[in-house]
Structure formats: structure tokens, C-alpha cells
Amino acid sequence: MSGADTIGFAGLSHLGIVSSLAAAARGFSVLAFDERSSLVDGLSEGRFPVVEPGLDETFRQHGERIRYTAAADSLAVCRLIFITLDVPTDDTNNSNLGPLRALVEKVASSARPDTVVVVMSQVPPGFCRELAGCLRRDLGLFYQVETLIFGNAIERAIRPERYMVGASDPQNGLPEFYRQFLDAFECPVLLMRYESAELCKIAINCFLVASVSTTNMLAEICEQIHADWADIVPALRLDRRIGQYAYLSPGLGIAGGNLERDLATVEKLAAAHRTDARIVAAWKENSAHRKDWVDRKSTRLNSSHLGI
């Protein structure tokens, strides 16, 4: 990709801020849009509404390659535009996709012919195929799975493990300039159908929840039988079926709206298609149980101290 090409980002959420800076760090010219002018002004001066290790340093080193704007039509110069808006969830873990649809429509309305629009916001299976049917036919739509992890977002964005990309028809491959952009990050690119990519992030989170729940269950048993979970972890790390990177640190259940939203999505899909997902209910119950660990621990300690 030539230096004259500019990569667009629309929706400067946590994901958008990190992803656009990562593109700049990889040597690309970046145009980052958000309709909130106060946010744009702050970002232009290096004032970020999120905290991430390496964020300020990355901006100091590569900020000259990124320009922030509150004008959506400025993105018309870009052939590749990433949609990076956070998708909020309500108290029942339902996603509000309205703002995301509105942002895509706004970007698409002024996009040049043959522009590639890449949705990075997390969406339920079926969203992108439906969205593609509503966009201009001269635009290409892809879905790229985001793998944002709070506290390690910059490192993972600049040096990703892999890219998972959803397409209407994977056999057609990726547009050359999109492929060149991804290749600059020097990691495997897994191309699949829209629906597979949309479910891919949910699958990753389900396996994470399984690891978290299993770890918490066994760590609590350790407390009761005078075993030490720290003794067991090295054995699990050395098992190739589990591995050195498995989530094996006990905690207070699953945390974060994305995990709970994805569990709710799996339950809805299972109910709609008459498949069995009762294990999800068990994960949720285990998580709720772990959230009371501090109270239970305090009660036991007090009882022991009082000789009860």
C-alpha cells in the first residue's frame, strides 16, 4: 500500500482509539473520525479518555501520522474504513445496534466507489449479511473480529496474534489494499463467512468463560480440602491440551459486559434453533456464586475466630 493511501476509522471508542493508533504505529497515514468534536479536540492534543499501558508513548512516537476529525465526509478520501464504535448493552445483555447502523450509513453515504468498509464492532451473527444488503453495491463490506483486552490493548493491536475476517463469500478473497494493510501486521489472516466470524468472537469468549469458571470452581475446592491451587497450575501449564496461556488465575466470576452479552447471545441462538446450551446456565450460576466469595470467606474466618 502506498504512503499516499489513508486508512479511515469511524467511531473513536476504546477500540477505535487503540486500533487507529496501531495503524499509525505500523506506518500508515490515518484519518480518525468521531462526531463528538470535544473528543476530537482532546485526541488531537494527546488527551485520551481511556487508560492503556503504552498509549501515550505510542501517540508521541507516531501521532504525526494520525489526524482526528469531526467531519464524516472527510473519510471520502479513504479506500479502507474501519467501523470501531462500541456497541452498548442494556441490563439484560441486549445489544443496541442502532448507533452502529447509523454510523455505517453515514460513512457509506459519502464513501468513494469501491471503498471497503470493515466492521470491527462486536455484532450478533447475521448482522453483517443483513447490513451488506442495505449498502451501495459498489462498496465492499467485511467483518473483522476485535480482540481488545483492557490493560493490554496497545500491545495486542500493534502485534496481533491473528486476524479473523468475515466476508460475504470467502472464496473471492480480500481486496488487495485491504490484504496489504493486514499483512503489514505480520500475523495469520483467517478468512471465513460473515456468520462464522461473528460467532468466532463469541466462541473465544465461551472458551474463556469455561476456563474462568473451571478455575474458580477448583480453586474454591482447594480452599476446603487444604490443597493449594498454585501447586496445580504448573501441571496445567505443561499440558499441551490446556497450555501455558490458559486463564488459570482465580477471580470473582466472569467480568465485563462482552462475556455476559455473548453468553446471552448463545442462549438466544440455542433457543431459536432448538439446540442444547444448558452448560451456559451453569457457567452463569457459577459466576454468580463466585461473586459472593469475599462474604463467604469473611464469614468463615469470623466463625473460626469466634470458635463457632
Side-chain angles (χ1 to χ4, degrees):
M1 182 175 291
S2 70
D5 288 312
T6 300
I7 309 300
F9 287 85
L12 298 180
S13 61
H14 198 141
L15 173 64
I17 291 170
V18 168
S19 300
S20 57
L21 271 177
R26 283 290 182 169
F28 294 96
S29 175
V30 174
L31 182 60
F33 159 74
D34 195 282
E35 61 185 4
R36 295 167 291 179
S37 57
S38 58
L39 174 62
V40 167
D41 292 341
L43 293 173
S44 299
E45 297 174 0
R47 291 185 281 109
F48 298 99
V50 298
V51 177
E52 284 288 346
L55 183 62
D56 293 332
E57 181 182 356
T58 302
F59 181 78
R60 285 194 298 269
Q61 292 179 349
H62 307 287
E64 74 279 358
R65 295 195 191 97
I66 185 167
R67 182 168 68 89
Y68 298 100
T69 179
D73 55 2
S74 298
L75 294 172
V77 301
C78 305
R79 288 198 299 165
L80 178 60
I81 303 173
F82 289 90
I83 307 297
T84 51
L85 187 70
D86 279 341
V87 175
T89 58
D90 60 22
D91 293 339
T92 60
N93 292 309
N94 287 312
S95 297
N96 180 6
L97 298 169
L100 177 62
R101 290 181 186 275
L103 179 60
V104 174
E105 291 172 0
K106 178 177 290 188
V107 169
S109 65
S110 59
R112 58 195 277 185
D114 299 324
T115 294
V116 169
V117 177
V118 182
V119 174
M120 288 185 69
S121 311
Q122 189 172 349
V123 297
F127 177 85
C128 283
R129 197 167 297 278
E130 177 187 350
L131 182 63
C134 301
L135 294 181
R136 289 165 26 200
R137 293 189 176 183
D138 61 349
L139 300 179
L141 180 70
F142 292 85
Y143 178 69
Q144 185 172 312
V145 180
E146 60 91 355
T147 55
L148 183 74
I149 294 181
F150 296 156
N152 194 31
I154 285 289
E155 174 64 22
R156 283 175 61 86
I158 296 176
R159 300 174 186 84
E161 298 165 309
R162 76 291 196 216
Y163 281 132
M164 298 150 282
V165 179
S168 175
D169 185 353
Q171 293 185 352
N172 292 335
L174 294 174
E176 184 61 24
F177 53 94
Y178 182 23
R179 166 64 73 169
Q180 289 176 2
F181 174 80
L182 296 181
D183 286 347
F185 289 82
E186 303 175 299
C187 69
V189 177
L190 308 177
L191 184 60
M192 58 193 79
R193 292 170 55 87
Y194 286 144
E195 295 82 0
S196 298
E198 289 163 336
L199 190 59
C200 194
K201 177 59 184 292
I202 295 174
I204 291 169
N205 280 346
C206 282
F207 274 79
L208 174 59
V209 168
S211 180
V212 169
S213 300
T214 302
T215 293
N216 287 338
M217 174 190 68
L218 293 173
E220 188 168 8
I221 289 175
C222 283
E223 292 179 355
Q224 303 305 313
I225 67 171
H226 305 295
D228 191 338
W229 180 247
D231 293 339
I232 298 171
V233 168
L236 298 173
R237 298 283 188 209
L238 293 171
D239 192 315
R240 293 183 180 179
R241 296 167 299 176
I242 302 170
Q244 59 179 317
Y245 301 113
Y247 192 99
L248 298 174
S249 299
L252 299 179
I254 59 174
N258 284 348
L259 295 180
E260 294 174 352
R261 171 176 58 190
D262 287 349
L263 295 183
T265 298
V266 170
E267 288 183 312
K268 291 173 184 175
L269 290 171
H273 299 282
R274 298 182 180 179
T275 61
D276 187 350
R278 284 174 290 181
I279 190 173
V280 173
W283 291 339
K284 291 166 64 178
E285 290 175 7
N286 178 268
S287 178
H289 172 77
R290 284 296 295 181
K291 288 184 169 86
D292 295 330
W293 175 84
V294 174
D295 288 339
R296 291 195 304 275
K297 186 73 171 179
S298 298
T299 300
R300 284 197 297 268
L301 289 175
N302 289 335
S303 298
S304 175
H305 178 70
L306 295 172
I308 300 175

